[in-house]
Amino acid sequence: MNTNRVTIFDTTLRDGEQSPGASMNKEEKIRIARILEEMRVDVIEAGFPIASQGDFEAVEAVAREIKESIVCGLARAAKGDIDRCAEAVRPAKRGRIHTFISTSPLHMKYKLQMAPEAVYQAVIDSVTRARKHTDDVEWSAEDGSRTEHDFLCRCVEAAINAGARTINIPDTVGYTVPDEYNALIKMLFNRVPNIDQAIISVHCHNDLGLAVANSLAAVQAGARQVECTINGLGERAGNAALEEIVMALRTRKDHMPFDTGINTELITRASHLVSTVTGFPVQPNKAIVGANAFAHESGIHQDGVLKHAETYEIMTPESVGLRKSNLVMGKHSGRHAFRAKLKDLGYELGDNAINDAFKRFKDLADKKKEIFDDDIVALVDDAVIRENDRIKFVSLEIVAGTKIAKQRAEIELEIDGVVKSTVAIGDGPVDALFNAIKQLTTDTQRLQLYQVHAVTGGTDAQAEVTVRLEENGKTVMGQGADTDTLVASARAYINALNKLLVKRQKAAPAPLPASA
Ligand code: KIV
Ligand code: ZN
């Protein structure tokens, strides 16, 4: 057994989905799970099956679809949670139940309102129950980094005795710092007598911007599973970013001699897909996957890179799957060439998705002389993600400019298969457009954010628009891309509305029972 192998546990579909506004439907989860599997992620945490019927179905669908990675579901320390989770992961070739309970004084007293001994018993009961369903059980000490050491050691020992094969020590609130967390993991190795019977896992949140540093410090102390998410998506400030963990281990192998099984060349594609599905843009200066991560602006840097890339590049753009944005095709390129290009970019699409993407490619080629790889990726992700939407964009006409008092938008949408149109006015073209969409759909949502950026350079570049909508305290993000900024805005708003429809359908989570 390779003792330097670090298991990569991706929780984009569970903790990532808990980011306000990042909810995903079943099809979207399957699509992301497929690329995670292709990247050779070891464990995919697909959701929290008890949370709603939709979550249950999504975990079950991922469990059916994925053959190589372990598919995991989350469950609180409660019989109902554990049994429901077991049912959802049952179709998996390799399924895991991940059960957790808080162990810190603060959480036990105020959140759980349980005495430590009752929590201790719940650890044993929950792991024992999960083991009746599967051999692969992970137990997490929620708020582990703020738990008293004696109590943490007792709970970890009990969970292993009850049959947990992975023990996770989360830094739930992103509070720890690298040397403290490293010492905590070492303390467990020194004090828990049966620790050699489990893999120690870490799960770090990024509230102080230390999630990746803390995770790596824990690996150096002996942890051999890291829980992380694509683009660092997750509750509040997010989780440790998968791409940063994996590339740090790969790039600094001299200092950290550990392996992951990840195919790093799929990182850029996975990042883009997660951003499109969730509507969460990636900040330009984000490590590894930001648009500027491999860009050299200053003359001195450009000169250095041209002479010898390693002067300013510690890893190659190709190692994360970033290609030079090639000039690919134009309006004369046919369906066959388009299909070949998609294959080259790593897309395996069904006929409907290819037809839709090809139509949009042709429309784009009519408007834009040069089409780059990035344009194709933007339009294909957009087309694929919208395949199952209930509300679809059909057409838009805008009357704008300084010669009229109010701007005017005439829009056609297909709603549940029926094409409807309307006209609305507003203070500016975007306001008129959004008013028109609201007339045809619903008016209970509030626009919280509207943001535009260009996919490539040049004035004919596609605009990528992000919107955030809020309704009854719940938020959703939407994205849309087009050479026409107003069409991109319509697509983004409609994308967010489709997510809101899914969110409205989701039932509220069941109340938390005291213990298993
Ligand atoms: O942050 C956390 O503690 C969690 C657990 C459920 C693992 O997400
Ligand atoms: Zn978490």
Side-chain angles (χ1 to χ4, degrees):
M1 199 178 96
N2 177 2
T3 51
N4 284 345
R5 172 71 155 76
V6 176
T7 296
I8 297 296
F9 176 117
D10 180 278
T11 183
T12 307
L13 304 181
R14 198 278 297 170
D15 218 326
E17 199 198 19
Q18 284 173 220
S19 311
S23 60
M24 303 169 213
N25 63 30
K26 185 167 82 184
E27 287 72 27
E28 291 167 341
K29 282 198 173 186
I30 292 176
R31 209 165 284 288
I32 292 175
R34 281 202 199 116
I35 193 160
L36 294 175
E37 180 180 43
E38 209 182 325
M39 278 174 87
R40 298 196 291 265
V41 160
D42 300 286
V43 187
I44 299 173
E45 186 165 56
F48 194 3
I50 195 78
S52 70
Q53 181 61 20
D55 276 31
F56 174 87
E57 285 170 14
V59 176
E60 195 186 36
V62 171
R64 272 185 214 294
E65 178 73 22
I66 297 302
K67 300 286 176 260
E68 301 299 328
S69 315
I70 293 171
V71 178
C72 174
L74 185 68
R76 291 166 298 188
K79 284 179 190 156
D81 273 45
I82 292 167
D83 294 353
R84 191 81 172 134
C85 181
E87 208 184 323
V89 298
R90 192 161 298 134
K93 202 165 161 214
R94 294 193 294 155
R96 174 178 294 187
I97 298 177
H98 176 191
T99 182
F100 73 100
I101 192 164
S102 294
T103 50
S104 67
L106 209 62
H107 277 219
M108 289 192 292
K109 182 166 178 200
Y110 294 106
K111 188 182 102 164
L112 297 177
Q113 299 180 341
M114 283 168 79
E117 283 318 302
V119 169
Y120 178 76
Q121 191 55 47
V123 173
I124 298 170
D125 293 347
S126 55
V127 174
T128 306
R129 188 159 191 103
R131 273 303 300 261
K132 287 197 172 37
H133 294 290
T134 172
D135 289 347
D136 192 348
V137 173
E138 170 169 339
W139 177 74
S140 282
E142 192 185 3
D143 208 17
S145 58
R146 293 193 299 171
T147 296
E148 284 171 354
H149 288 189
D150 288 353
F151 188 61
L152 187 61
C153 288
R154 278 185 68 210
C155 289
V156 168
E157 186 180 353
I160 297 173
N161 276 339
R165 290 294 161 259
T166 304
I167 297 291
N168 184 35
I169 311 295
D171 180 32
T172 302
V173 289
Y175 179 73
T176 199
V177 293
D179 60 344
E180 179 187 67
Y181 201 45
N182 175 287
L184 177 69
I185 302 300
K186 281 188 180 144
M187 183 280 296
L188 291 172
F189 276 102
N190 288 333
R191 291 187 47 192
V192 177
N194 54 1
I195 196 108
D196 58 320
Q197 292 168 36
I199 300 280
I200 299 303
S201 169
V202 287
H203 173 115
C204 296
H205 280 267
N206 206 27
D207 301 65
L208 293 173
L210 292 171
V212 169
N214 288 334
S215 305
L216 295 175
V219 169
Q220 287 172 304
R224 288 293 177 273
Q225 176 175 286
V226 177
E227 304 198 357
C228 43
T229 58
I230 301 286
N231 298 341
L233 204 64
E235 284 269 26
R236 307 181 309 279
N239 288 60
L242 179 148
E243 61 278 7
E244 295 177 23
I245 300 277
V246 168
M247 290 312 288
L249 289 175
R250 178 177 156 152
T251 307
R252 294 308 312 275
K253 214 175 160 74
D254 58 324
H255 193 69
M256 298 178 287
F258 308 105
D259 303 313
T260 71
I262 298 295
N263 173 0
T264 61
E265 289 178 15
L266 289 173
I267 283 177
T268 299
R269 236 180 83 203
S271 163
H272 194 270
L273 182 63
V274 169
S275 168
T276 308
V277 164
T278 58
F280 276 53
V282 176
Q283 74 191 60
N285 56 329
K286 162 86 181 61
I288 318 293
V289 290
N292 294 347
F294 291 89
H296 302 283
E297 181 74 16
S298 91
I300 296 172
H301 287 204
Q302 283 175 352
D303 182 53
V305 169
L306 286 176
K307 286 179 176 143
H308 186 79
E310 279 175 37
T311 49
Y312 289 99
E313 267 180 13
I314 58 168
M315 51 203 154
T316 65
E318 290 77 17
S319 65
V320 299
L322 202 66
R323 302 147 188 260
K324 292 215 166 35
S325 201
N326 298 322
L327 176 59
V328 281
M329 309 168 101
K331 66 198 243 178
H332 301 298
S333 308
R335 188 181 296 265
H336 188 71
F338 183 68
R339 203 182 264 269
K341 185 75 212 172
L342 290 185
K343 200 149 184 260
D344 183 42
L345 289 171
Y347 289 98
E348 297 284 348
L349 302 185
D351 285 345
N352 282 352
I354 292 200
N355 289 344
D356 194 17
F358 184 66
K359 183 178 171 306
R360 288 188 58 187
F361 161 71
K362 281 293 190 189
D363 290 347
L364 183 63
D366 278 341
K367 296 182 209 149
K368 192 171 186 287
K369 270 204 308 286
E370 300 171 324
I371 297 188
F372 298 88
D373 282 354
D374 289 351
D375 289 314
I376 304 260
V377 168
L379 76 81
V380 172
D381 278 351
D382 205 67
V384 164
I385 292 311
R386 279 139 191 72
E387 228 179 341
N388 298 302
D389 283 355
R390 284 180 59 195
I391 308 171
K392 292 189 165 123
F393 172 80
V394 179
S395 73
L396 175 68
E397 192 181 313
I398 295 277
V399 183
T402 51
K403 292 191 176 160
I404 44 172
K406 290 268 184 196
Q407 281 64 32
R408 178 178 174 280
E410 185 171 349
I411 194 160
E412 264 186 313
L413 302 180
E414 186 188 306
I415 304 173
D416 291 330
V418 181
V419 175
K420 298 183 176 171
S421 62
T422 193
V423 176
I425 53 166
D427 295 322
V430 177
D431 190 44
L433 161 63
F434 290 174
N435 286 341
I437 297 175
K438 283 193 272 186
Q439 275 179 24
L440 286 181
T441 56
T442 55
D443 194 9
T444 43
Q445 65 281 359
R446 209 167 48 84
L447 181 72
Q448 280 190 332
L449 173 110
Y450 172 77
Q451 199 172 290
V452 185
H453 90 269
V455 172
T456 57
T459 49
D460 65 352
Q462 287 195 85
E464 203 160 58
V465 175
T466 304
V467 302
R468 186 169 66 223
L469 301 179
E470 184 269 338
E471 185 182 76
N472 300 328
K474 299 241 175 291
T475 54
V476 286
M477 305 281 284
Q479 271 192 351
D482 201 279
T483 46
D484 183 323
T485 308
L486 292 164
V487 173
S489 305
R491 289 189 189 281
Y493 196 98
I494 292 163
N495 178 228
L497 268 184
N498 278 298
K499 291 185 174 177
L500 208 53
L501 294 182
V502 175
K503 209 148 203 166
R504 284 178 192 154
Q505 280 167 2
K506 281 198 174 187
L512 176 69
S515 67

